[in-house]
Amino acid sequence: MNTDLGHFIGGHHVAGTSGRRGDVFNPSTGEVQATVAFAARAEVEAAIADAETAFAHWSATPVVKRANTMFRFRELVMGEQESLARMLASQHGKVFADAMGDVRRGLDVIDFACGIPHFMKGEYSNNVSTGIDLYSMRKPLGVVAAITPFNFPAMIPMWMVGVAIACGNAVVLKPSEKTPGVPLRLAELMVEAGAPEGVLNVVNGDKEAVDTLLEDPRVKAVSFVGSTDIARHVYATGTAHGKRVQAMGGAKNHMIVLPDADMDQVVDALIGSAFGSAGERCMANPVAVPVGDDLADALVERLVPRIQALKIGPSLDAEMDLGPLVTDAHWQRVKGYIDLGVEEGAELVVDGRDYRVPTQGYEKGFYMGGSLFDRVTPAMTSYQDEIFGPVLQIVRAATPEAAVRLPSAHRYGNGTSIFTNDGDAAREFADKVEVGMVGINVPIPVPLAFHTFGGWKASAFGDINQHGEAGVRFFTKTKTVTSRWPGGIRGGADFTIPTA
Ligand code: NAD
């Protein structure tokens, strides 16, 4: 692999010129495997200019041809999903099977984007007044920016890029500087699939690149996923510059466990959803809320041996349940929250801070064992903040009413789940809870690509969700035409079937 990563602008790899670079780690070994250029303002502006040139042609390309490009892109990504997943696992640290899921969930959106002709259809009202017809059409916006987090290096770029490009936009993608390899390869594949050069550009970088995208008047919309403080900045700055912005932020998802729930299911669900991908998922369930002390005691008793038995090691070792955290800096941050939980008086039942990986040669990787806190309270900062690591917190609730109030009261509102056999309780919860995505006996309620994805409260700024029909709405604007004709057929007969 190239260890000197630059940008992908106008269909070509270009080296960075800013002189600023960041390290790309292999979290499994702790080594720097590559460095990545951090774009200066002028480099981002060059990418925007190329995208603007490409937009003129791409937006005029018939929608059926744009769909054909998506079909070819889908085949190309499927053809190399294993090598993409290997690269992803080696930069992010999630295990290979989970990295395959990351690619697959991105491909789901490309499947959706292959059907774009259907979603670009407008409305038509015949004869709204005598001889007058009224119709609407969906138009792409122009150059749009996609800014993505480290934790889904394939899926989240594909959420945005797939829908935006199928709609006829040109994209400048600014992926996470921690995991830039897969987004760069996806851009190469988009060109190979037939998208004209400049339709998908990748600029690597940090705040300077992001702020350039937010301020440049040629960028018409910004789709962002990342942490809440940055999402708030992106939303405020982008909208202040007249752009359409959707900015998804952090999360702290609760799993409510009612006394009638199936305990085997509950324990499996918590272990998978709190610790999978080392807890670095915005739809993880890092808070369990059992109702009643008997249930809480039983849950802790069953969770402890399962957490202690987690197999944690190199991301490409097929035996492992989870790999390392993404960077040492993130490891330190997660450890800081465990230290804080102890200081705040929560009971640390399983402590993952001193975990030592048993695999020889990987001692310097960013591994952390699973941790379990009991008797966490809503007043604790370690409860209010997103930890984003392999840490499960138990908040005991005395009644079902007290349990279901917690996710509604929390400042984040991305996802939540309830485990119960009581249909009425589940239905009431789904109806009333102040959270954007709800699971009923489902631990990670991530909607499929033909529905939409989005949290509430501090988990999302802006009012249009990712992908599905909402994604098409986000990346297009409506034009409505009122039309009156004097009538008459112009031109002669044509005996061949019309084609695109
Ligand atoms: P992050 O906010 O650090 O980075 C996200 C993007 O913003 C990156 O491209 C990064 O380069 C850029 N960025 C970082 N600092 C910036 C600054 N000061 N100004 C401008 N841009 C900046 O997020 P992350 O650590 O990469 O990802 C993890 C976070 O993303 C977690 O909070 C997680 O919950 C969240 N997330 C949310 C969703 C969702 O849909 N709600 C999905 C996945 C991840």
Side-chain angles (χ1 to χ4, degrees):
M1 191 193 129
N2 181 5
T3 56
D4 208 6
L5 304 173
H7 315 295
F8 189 81
I9 299 177
H12 306 282
H13 286 281
V14 294
T17 57
S18 72
R20 294 192 307 121
R21 304 190 70 81
D23 290 336
V24 179
F25 289 94
N26 177 342
S28 293
T29 61
E31 287 160 1
V32 174
Q33 60 167 297
T35 66
V36 63
F38 284 1
R41 185 166 283 265
E43 294 171 289
V44 182
E45 286 171 351
I48 296 170
D50 272 16
E52 199 175 38
T53 305
F55 173 71
H57 169 62
W58 183 242
S59 57
T61 301
V63 68
V64 179
K65 292 196 171 155
R66 298 203 305 261
N68 284 341
T69 302
M70 287 296 141
F71 276 109
R72 281 194 296 273
F73 179 68
R74 177 180 183 275
E75 291 307 306
L76 291 171
V77 175
M78 281 181 72
E80 57 179 74
Q81 54 188 318
E82 296 199 357
S83 65
L84 286 167
R86 252 192 307 281
M87 185 196 291
L88 197 162
S90 81
Q91 290 186 357
H92 175 286
K94 64 178 76 175
V95 293
F96 176 75
D98 198 30
M100 285 290 284
D102 191 331
V103 177
R104 186 59 247 174
R105 289 305 293 249
L107 273 170
D108 287 351
V109 177
I110 305 304
D111 291 352
F112 171 82
C114 289
I116 198 67
H118 175 68
F119 294 103
M120 293 297 278
K121 286 188 299 196
E123 300 162 317
Y124 189 93
S125 295
N126 172 240
N127 213 34
V128 290
S129 185
T130 308
I132 296 185
D133 304 325
L134 185 59
Y135 62 93
S136 65
M137 48 181 131
R138 291 200 167 278
K139 300 298 251 178
L141 305 177
V143 178
V144 299
I147 304 165
T148 56
F150 80 83
N151 69 323
F152 280 99
M155 178 183 84
I156 294 180
M158 280 195 270
W159 278 4
M160 301 171 180
V161 160
V163 180
I165 292 180
C167 288
N169 300 285
V171 178
V172 179
L173 168 63
K174 208 305 282 174
S176 168
E177 64 280 21
K178 299 184 183 109
T179 49
V182 170
L184 281 167
R185 181 64 189 140
L186 292 176
E188 289 174 341
L189 293 177
M190 191 61 85
V191 172
E192 216 177 295
E197 294 171 350
V199 164
L200 176 54
N201 303 277
V202 179
V203 289
N204 284 305
D206 57 0
K207 181 172 171 56
E208 184 169 347
V210 170
D211 287 350
T212 306
L213 292 167
L214 296 177
E215 290 161 16
D216 193 300
R218 293 168 296 178
V219 175
K220 303 300 178 202
V222 179
S223 182
F224 172 91
V225 176
S227 56
T228 285
D229 286 351
I230 311 298
R232 195 180 275 115
H233 162 72
V234 166
Y235 187 75
T237 312
T239 52
H241 284 81
K243 300 180 201 315
R244 190 179 285 197
V245 182
Q246 53 179 189
M248 276 59 195
K252 189 87 179 202
N253 304 329
H254 296 61
M255 194 169 118
I256 311 296
V257 187
L258 298 190
D260 68 346
D262 177 321
M263 278 296 269
D264 291 337
Q265 268 187 18
V266 166
V267 172
D268 283 343
L270 276 172
I271 291 291
S273 78
F275 298 103
S277 194
E280 294 168 324
R281 287 185 187 141
C282 69
M283 289 297 281
N285 261 316
V287 180
V289 187
V291 173
D293 277 334
D294 290 350
L295 177 63
D297 290 342
L299 190 59
V300 170
E301 196 181 316
R302 292 182 63 163
L303 284 169
V304 168
R306 293 286 298 272
I307 296 170
Q308 287 167 335
L310 285 171
K311 290 188 222 115
I312 303 167
S315 61
L316 293 175
D317 181 338
E319 296 295 306
M320 296 302 146
D321 298 320
L322 43 137
L325 291 168
V326 66
T327 57
D328 183 50
H330 189 57
W331 191 99
Q332 299 295 345
R333 183 175 178 275
V334 173
K335 177 185 175 291
Y337 273 113
I338 301 175
D339 296 345
L340 178 65
V342 174
E343 277 167 36
E344 290 180 314
E347 190 183 317
L348 185 57
V349 186
V350 182
D351 182 355
R353 289 173 293 185
D354 290 331
Y355 180 80
R356 294 279 168 268
V357 69
T359 322
Q360 263 198 336
Y362 291 85
E363 294 80 3
K364 296 209 172 91
F366 312 134
Y367 301 97
M368 183 174 280
S371 292
L372 178 68
F373 274 111
D374 194 5
R375 301 183 189 280
V376 173
T377 69
M380 294 176 181
T381 303
S382 58
Y383 165 79
Q384 290 157 8
D385 288 1
E386 179 182 47
I387 298 178
F388 223 52
V391 183
L392 176 59
Q393 296 170 299
I394 293 184
V395 181
R396 294 175 175 231
T399 62
E401 294 72 27
V404 301
R405 270 199 299 273
L406 287 168
S408 292
H410 203 282
R411 72 188 172 109
Y412 289 117
N414 215 37
T416 186
S417 296
I418 189 165
F419 274 65
T420 179
N421 280 309
D422 181 339
D424 285 334
R427 188 171 181 278
E428 171 83 2
F429 177 72
D431 188 38
K432 298 277 158 56
V433 70
E434 291 287 316
V435 170
M437 292 172 280
V438 180
I440 297 175
N441 297 317
V442 170
I444 305 184
V446 179
L448 286 171
F450 41 94
H451 284 254
T452 74
F453 182 105
W456 288 7
K457 300 181 283 183
S459 294
F461 303 90
D463 51 10
I464 305 189
N465 277 2
Q466 296 278 349
H467 63 66
E469 285 193 53
V472 177
R473 238 181 12 257
F474 183 77
F475 286 116
T476 56
K477 54 191 174 190
T478 303
K479 182 180 283 182
T480 310
V481 180
T482 306
S483 158
R484 178 164 59 196
W485 282 99
I489 298 169
R490 291 136 210 271
D494 187 342
F495 296 99
T496 55
I497 189 165
T499 60

